[in-house]
Amino acid sequence: MNQLPAHALHSRFLRGLDKAPRNVAFRVGDHRITYEEAHHRALEQAGSLLAGTDEPPAAVGVLAGKSVEAYTGVLAALYAGAAVVPLHADFPAARTRYMLEAASVGAVIADEAGLKALADAAPADAPPVLAPSAATGAGTARRLEHRPDRALAAPRSAAPSDTAFMLFTSGSTGRPKGVPVTHAATHHYFRILDQRYDFTEDDVFSQTFDLNFDCAMFDLFCAWGAGGSAHALPAHAYRDLPAFLAERRMTVWFATPSSITLARRTRALAPGAFPTLRWSLFAGEALRAEDAADWQAAAPASTLENIYGPTELTVTVTGHRWDPGTSPARCLNGLVPIGRVHEGHDHLLIDTDGEPADREGELVITGPQMTRGYLDTTDDAGRFLTHRGRTWYRTGDRVRRIDDGELVYLGRLDAQVQVQGWRVELSEIEHALRTCETVTDAVAVTRTGADGTTELVVFHTGEPTPPAALARLLGGVLPKGMLPRAYRHLAEFPLNSNRKIDRRRLAEEAALPAPSAAA
């Protein structure tokens, strides 16, 4: 029996190791890594991270895609007693460099793609990197030697208040905001999930989310806590999703609602198309009733849930279980309810004056899943409030409370939007575009695309500039998921009666076909 305090996030992997040591813990392509193999690799990597040091690095970056190195890297960082900082190899170098420095990353675990990205992103005093021996190039970073002889005998523990992982969200100041999530927060979260779901060692989980997306923690640690298997979903799986799910005998699907649109577009969303699924879970953006009904018909043996939560509240903090008989009547504006807030938490609805509201208002939540604050405390302003002697997190989401106490999402109160699962601050897009010499000012808005997904559109003043040039500029500082779909030049912005930029009018124009002469 492998022992760690139950509050330690990595104790969930040890629980799966005890249940099913020879089960596949994760699969990447044709690579199947058992619990025993992953455990020994993580112990070895953790020992290599700690070789020659008395104290573990406070944070270990995992700069990797959906690879063997990524999944063992998450475990190795936790085993070493460090916080995991998931990073993305496709992010612009400047963004990765900022995250490394802001999180005080003391070492990096990388795969081949991550190693190349680190060579571009690493600061002058780059943290040392542990990568496959055959991988080449790390810029100025020092390569850590693999030391099987220094493998840990057992994973190190962690205090409840220690940070388990740190994620970065879009920030209105033009830089990402670091969100530390403690072991105590994850312990409460996964205890709720253990009560809510009946996952077992026979379950096969989709792993659709990149590691820097907090929902990936659900995929991995729900699977590992049950002794089940997490399968990385390759992009080509969507070419024939029914065949992929059948071949893998997948039982748990978790993705953004955009995956439903993609399945429909590839003609995969036929009734009974996904017979092996037991659970179908969606988060990251609003779930439309039409999409829920179509997916439920395609996976008739599965229980479908719409789950909701910002990173600051540890992955998800509410849930609505879809009932084909009753749920459609409970939807508002065609959106599925987000359900009730998790046990152990309190929530309020507040009006525009910050006063408690009865049925509709901004959702604010406090409880054990709430982060203690952003990595940079200056980011806390406006996101937290004090009420009745307690600190609450302001989600910025407007919701309505329906008759039985469930909540329905109505939209954002501020300039933060969800684009294919990404939380995007429109002001960050605008800030980045204003760095272009030909751009005087910029306004970002959203529109609904032909397939029902949310798209970003940018209007800009200044010199007419080819959209391709603007896209290249933004591509150097923003992840692909945050890039606008369209760029439109205006001589000047329309103003409303208060002499402010009329964003509503721009949003209406964004929904119209672009003029043929637009830049």
Side-chain angles (χ1 to χ4, degrees):
M1 176 69 70
N2 295 281
Q3 293 293 337
L4 268 184
H7 66 254
L9 177 58
H10 42 310
S11 71
R12 295 189 63 81
F13 184 86
L14 299 185
R15 195 168 82 180
L17 175 65
D18 284 331
K19 286 183 177 181
R22 291 179 177 80
N23 264 15
V24 173
F26 57 85
R27 178 176 173 180
V28 180
D30 293 329
H31 297 284
R32 299 171 175 85
I33 308 298
T34 68
Y35 278 84
E36 287 180 327
E37 292 170 331
H39 179 61
H40 289 304
R41 290 189 188 203
L43 288 173
E44 178 186 321
Q45 288 185 348
S48 298
L49 290 172
L50 298 171
T53 65
D54 295 326
E55 292 295 329
V60 171
V62 178
L63 183 54
K66 296 174 185 174
S67 61
V68 172
E69 290 80 14
Y71 302 127
T72 56
V74 168
L75 288 174
L78 292 170
Y79 278 20
V84 182
V85 183
L87 302 165
H88 199 299
D90 290 339
F91 276 12
R95 195 177 188 89
T96 298
R97 187 180 306 115
Y98 172 80
M99 294 176 181
L100 289 170
E101 294 174 341
S104 300
V105 169
V108 175
I109 296 174
D111 58 11
E112 182 82 44
L115 200 61
K116 293 177 181 177
L118 187 65
D120 295 330
D125 54 345
V129 58
L130 186 68
S133 300
T136 58
T140 59
R142 175 170 60 91
R143 290 286 290 266
L144 287 173
E145 182 183 358
H146 285 269
R147 294 289 304 272
D149 60 309
R150 299 298 296 269
L152 299 187
R156 289 192 170 193
S157 188
S161 60
D162 288 347
T163 299
F165 58 85
M166 186 180 303
L167 300 171
F168 285 83
T169 68
S170 177
S172 59
T173 59
R175 55 173 174 75
K177 296 185 295 188
V179 183
V181 179
T182 66
H183 286 271
T186 63
H187 177 55
H188 183 94
Y189 178 60
F190 286 107
R191 182 180 63 80
I192 293 290
L193 300 189
D194 287 343
Q195 295 170 353
R196 190 174 185 91
Y197 306 115
D198 62 349
F199 301 144
T200 75
E201 60 199 62
D202 295 323
D203 278 314
V204 177
F205 290 69
S206 67
Q207 210 285 282
T208 67
F209 299 99
D210 292 327
L211 284 184
N212 63 294
F213 197 152
D214 56 358
C215 290
M217 299 299 133
F218 180 109
D219 295 340
L220 297 178
F221 289 97
C222 277
W224 292 342
S229 179
H231 288 212
L233 202 79
H236 66 75
Y238 284 100
R239 298 174 190 167
D240 189 349
L241 195 57
F244 182 84
L245 299 190
E247 186 269 325
R248 298 296 180 93
R249 298 203 58 79
M250 198 157 284
T251 60
V252 182
W253 175 265
F254 186 27
T256 65
S258 295
S259 66
I260 304 177
T261 301
L262 183 55
R264 183 183 291 114
R265 191 162 62 237
T266 57
R267 302 183 185 279
L269 208 60
F274 312 133
T276 62
L277 292 182
R278 296 197 314 115
W279 290 96
S280 297
L281 310 169
F282 296 95
E285 55 193 354
L287 175 62
R288 298 189 302 171
E290 175 188 4
D291 288 344
D294 286 353
W295 186 276
Q296 182 72 86
S302 77
T303 300
L304 186 149
E305 284 199 347
N306 183 34
I307 54 182
Y308 157 92
T311 301
E312 291 84 350
L313 293 169
T314 310
V315 191
T316 62
V317 74
T318 77
H320 170 81
R321 188 160 293 181
W322 178 262
D323 183 326
T326 61
S327 291
R330 305 171 65 76
C331 297
L332 290 176
N333 302 324
L335 300 181
V336 178
I338 60 173
R340 291 182 178 82
V341 173
H342 283 178
E343 174 190 342
H345 294 75
D346 290 328
H347 73 280
L348 295 170
L349 305 185
I350 60 173
D351 61 22
T352 54
D353 295 323
E355 296 298 322
D358 181 30
R359 290 181 56 83
E360 187 173 312
E362 181 184 2
L363 177 62
V364 298
I365 298 178
T366 190
Q369 289 178 212
M370 185 180 72
T371 183
R372 56 181 171 252
Y374 294 109
L375 187 61
D376 184 340
T377 56
T378 61
D379 290 326
D380 291 351
R383 301 314 311 166
F384 296 89
L385 62 82
T386 301
H387 176 72
R388 295 179 181 173
R390 303 170 71 187
T391 301
W392 305 64
Y393 176 70
R394 301 185 61 166
T395 67
D397 291 322
R398 187 165 58 91
V399 303
R400 182 177 300 171
R401 185 182 291 115
I402 52 181
D403 292 342
D404 70 346
E406 281 204 317
L407 303 173
V408 184
Y409 174 81
L410 299 176
R412 291 293 301 174
L413 290 173
D414 53 23
Q416 187 185 83
V417 296
Q418 295 273 4
V419 181
Q420 297 186 23
W422 287 83
R423 288 174 56 191
V424 178
E425 295 274 5
L426 294 180
S427 53
E428 181 172 9
I429 308 293
E430 297 163 355
H431 176 86
L433 202 60
R434 292 187 193 109
T435 64
C436 178
E437 292 183 357
T438 61
V439 173
T440 301
D441 201 358
V443 172
V445 298
T446 62
R447 70 182 180 193
T448 301
D451 59 2
T453 59
T454 300
E455 298 177 347
L456 291 168
V457 178
V458 166
F459 292 87
H460 60 98
T461 60
E463 299 177 23
T465 306
L470 298 178
R472 282 195 299 272
L473 180 141
L474 292 186
V477 294
L478 298 174
K480 291 180 181 179
M482 292 174 62
L483 296 181
R485 181 62 61 89
Y487 303 81
R488 299 188 185 180
H489 176 261
L490 296 175
E492 59 184 17
F493 292 135
L495 303 179
N496 61 24
S497 59
N498 294 323
R499 308 302 296 167
K500 296 180 180 180
I501 295 175
D502 194 338
R503 289 177 176 267
R504 177 175 296 183
R505 180 174 167 186
L506 290 177
E508 292 171 351
E509 291 187 18
L512 300 174
S516 58

